[in-house]
Amino acid sequence: MKWFIKLVIIVSLIGSVTPMKGQAAGFNDLSNKYIFHEEVLYLSSKNIITGFPDESFKADNPVTRAQAAIMIGRALGLNGKPRNTQFTDVNTNVTGSGYIASAVEKGIITGFPDGSYRPNEPVNRGQMAIFLDRAYPLTTGQTNSFRDISSNMKAYQAILNVSASGIASGYPNGTYRPDQSVTRGQFSAFMARTLEPTYRSKPPMVVKFLNVGQGDAIFIQYPNGKTALVDAGRSDDAIETALRSEGITRIDTFIATHPDADHIGGANYVIPNYGVKRVIDSGQVHTTQTFLDYLDIINANGIEPVVPQIGDNVTDDSNVSAKVLSVNSNSDDLNDGSIVIMLSYGLTDILLTGDAGIEVESYLMANFDVEAEILKVSHHGSNTGTSGDFIEAVDPREAILSYGENSYGHPNNQVVNDLILYDVNIYSTYKQGTITVNSIGSSYSINADPLQWEETKAAQEPKPVPQPAPTPQPTPTPQPPIQTGFANCTELRAVYPKGVNSSHPAYQSKMDRDHDGWACEP
């Protein structure tokens, strides 16, 4: 599947195409194999476009600002009678002067600060988006998936809108290229898709692996506009910053893969502030204050959390599958109880693994087809998961590592080496910030370039160093006895309010549910 997807370019929106032999009806230089052949003939049948006196169409020539005004004007039925305009370079003798004047009156096009219109200047992709957005009611785009546009650009919202409407999208490397000129053939495709929805490409699914430091948070915008957040990072501040920087204002569904703090720490901020209506939870419980706060905020907002079963589809869009491959509310290990989801849109599969370990991976390989184009590496790249066998079974083209500054050694060298061995492109939220995947079903793009990781040696146990004989020490003064043997965290915290670390005699592994080396922390 991967090799096919990589060959499927976003043909409806990019590049120029050389017409092939074999004339299309009406134009002597347009083959019926030309990529936008149907769109050109559709507009020709509507008398929206015409060719040149020599009966050619010149599909690869740039479309000019005058030609764009003519096409839009004819499509809208505007007055095209030649006349003088407000522009210094457009009088009654300029081709398209009437349509230019009418389009200005409708607020569709404007000129330049020097009073000119520049009718013979090529239209770029940003201007095209503005023209169509002003001329027609389009779907309002909510999320920016292009790495070369920003909210301070004039064409920003118009680009989001033509993308959300399935009229135009970007390139495989995650760019939109707003300054790139549009050809006559491409503009015909954009116009046809605006006028006739059957010509439109599928609306995109956008998946953002948010930069929340040492933790996970994955935002999904479905093609129908619904949104979900899988995990919420370690803190309110981290998730708030990440969501705000991506312009995200609404989340319909929150999915907690498991109750570790680095996955639900920001949930008590997200749920009340982003309009969350549905919570999907692994059903596991924890002893931390973070988990108790999470439960409190769910109850305070009147939400009854749903614990899914293996095989359930937890999607918010019938065109996308979000199939639960693993979940275990009774797992002895919180990580292995993680909700694992295969997110599928057309030919694009994204495997979201939470913090699932190697035993869970074995179960997945034995019971499901786990092949996916994109793998969210388990547990921030820890060697508790993402075995070589699992990488081979998933056969991903891309792998996303979500982590931040940490003392755990994430990502583990062996995991990185195995990804390199299997020729997987690696991306990192720590090194690259939020990683955005944009899929139209038949293909996908990523807003960053793969990292150039060098294979590193896996960490080895250090060789023992001979130690000198110990120096005799004076007999220490007796200390008060240390209390141990607590039945639960409530008893332990009555004596040790901050909990205990793994070196303390009162430490018990059963009270360290998140396996961070600290039991019964608040």
Side-chain angles (χ1 to χ4, degrees), residues 142-375:
Q142 300 287 340
T143 305
N144 175 22
S145 59
F146 306 113
R147 59 175 171 169
D148 59 344
I149 71 168
S150 61
S151 58
N152 60 0
M153 296 172 57
K154 181 179 180 180
Y156 177 75
Q157 190 59 52
I159 291 172
L160 298 190
N161 294 351
V162 295
S163 175
S165 300
I167 295 168
S169 60
Y171 290 74
N173 66 352
T175 59
Y176 179 81
R177 304 182 191 175
D179 297 324
Q180 180 170 292
S181 296
V182 178
T183 68
R184 286 169 52 83
Q186 291 168 344
F187 197 83
S188 298
F190 295 135
M191 281 291 300
R193 285 164 172 77
T194 302
L195 298 172
E196 177 49 62
T198 59
Y199 288 116
R200 297 182 183 183
S201 61
K202 282 187 175 182
M205 177 180 72
V206 179
V207 180
K208 290 180 176 289
F209 298 85
L210 299 171
N211 178 20
V212 290
Q214 181 67 12
D216 272 9
I218 303 160
F219 173 79
I220 303 168
Q221 178 176 296
Y222 291 101
N224 67 358
K226 294 287 188 179
T227 58
L229 184 69
V230 181
D231 293 329
R234 182 175 289 276
S235 70
D236 292 356
D237 288 345
I239 192 65
E240 178 186 11
T241 299
L243 293 172
R244 189 191 319 114
S245 67
E246 296 299 318
I248 296 167
T249 59
R250 191 188 81 250
I251 295 169
D252 297 303
T253 297
F254 176 67
I255 301 173
T257 62
H258 64 294
D260 277 347
D262 56 341
H263 292 255
I264 63 167
N268 60 349
Y269 170 76
V270 169
I271 291 170
N273 290 294
Y274 284 81
V276 172
K277 298 178 179 64
R278 182 172 69 142
V279 171
I280 296 170
D281 185 89
S282 67
Q284 300 181 97
V285 296
H286 207 351
T287 60
T288 62
Q289 189 62 49
T290 298
F291 178 68
L292 297 177
D293 290 344
Y294 162 68
L295 294 182
D296 287 344
I297 205 68
I298 292 174
N299 292 332
N301 283 269
I303 301 173
E304 184 69 31
V306 175
V307 178
Q309 302 298 310
I310 292 174
D312 284 356
N313 186 1
V314 295
T315 186
D316 287 294
D317 186 337
S318 60
N319 293 307
V320 177
S321 171
K323 185 178 181 181
V324 175
L325 303 189
S326 182
V327 60
N328 185 357
S329 61
N330 298 314
S331 175
D332 292 334
D333 185 289
L334 292 178
N335 291 338
D336 283 348
S338 292
I339 299 175
V340 176
I341 296 174
M342 180 69 82
L343 187 65
S344 302
Y345 182 41
L347 299 176
T348 303
D349 297 318
I350 304 175
L351 183 56
L352 307 178
T353 55
D355 280 358
I358 290 175
E359 288 187 12
V360 175
E361 292 176 353
S362 297
Y363 165 80
L364 294 174
M365 289 186 286
N367 290 277
F368 297 100
D369 176 6
V370 294
E371 184 199 20
E373 284 63 52
I374 300 169
L375 170 66

Side-chain angles (χ1 to χ4, degrees), residues 1-9 172 397-398 425 444:
M1 186 184 297
K2 261 76 67 188
W3 65 267
F4 174 76
I5 289 179
K6 287 301 180 182
L7 292 176
V8 179
I9 307 301
R397 181 63 181 162
E398 333 286 349
N425 294 324
Y444 65 88

Side-chain angles (χ1 to χ4, degrees), residues 466-511:
Q467 299 294 322
T471 303
Q473 300 293 323
T475 302
T477 302
Q479 299 293 320
I482 297 176
Q483 297 186 46
T484 62
F486 298 101
N488 52 52
C489 281
T490 300
E491 291 183 5
L492 188 148
R493 280 198 291 265
V495 179
Y496 305 109
K498 295 184 179 180
V500 295
N501 62 30
S502 58
S503 64
H504 196 284
Y507 174 87
Q508 297 180 57
S509 61
K510 70 178 183 179
M511 297 182 185

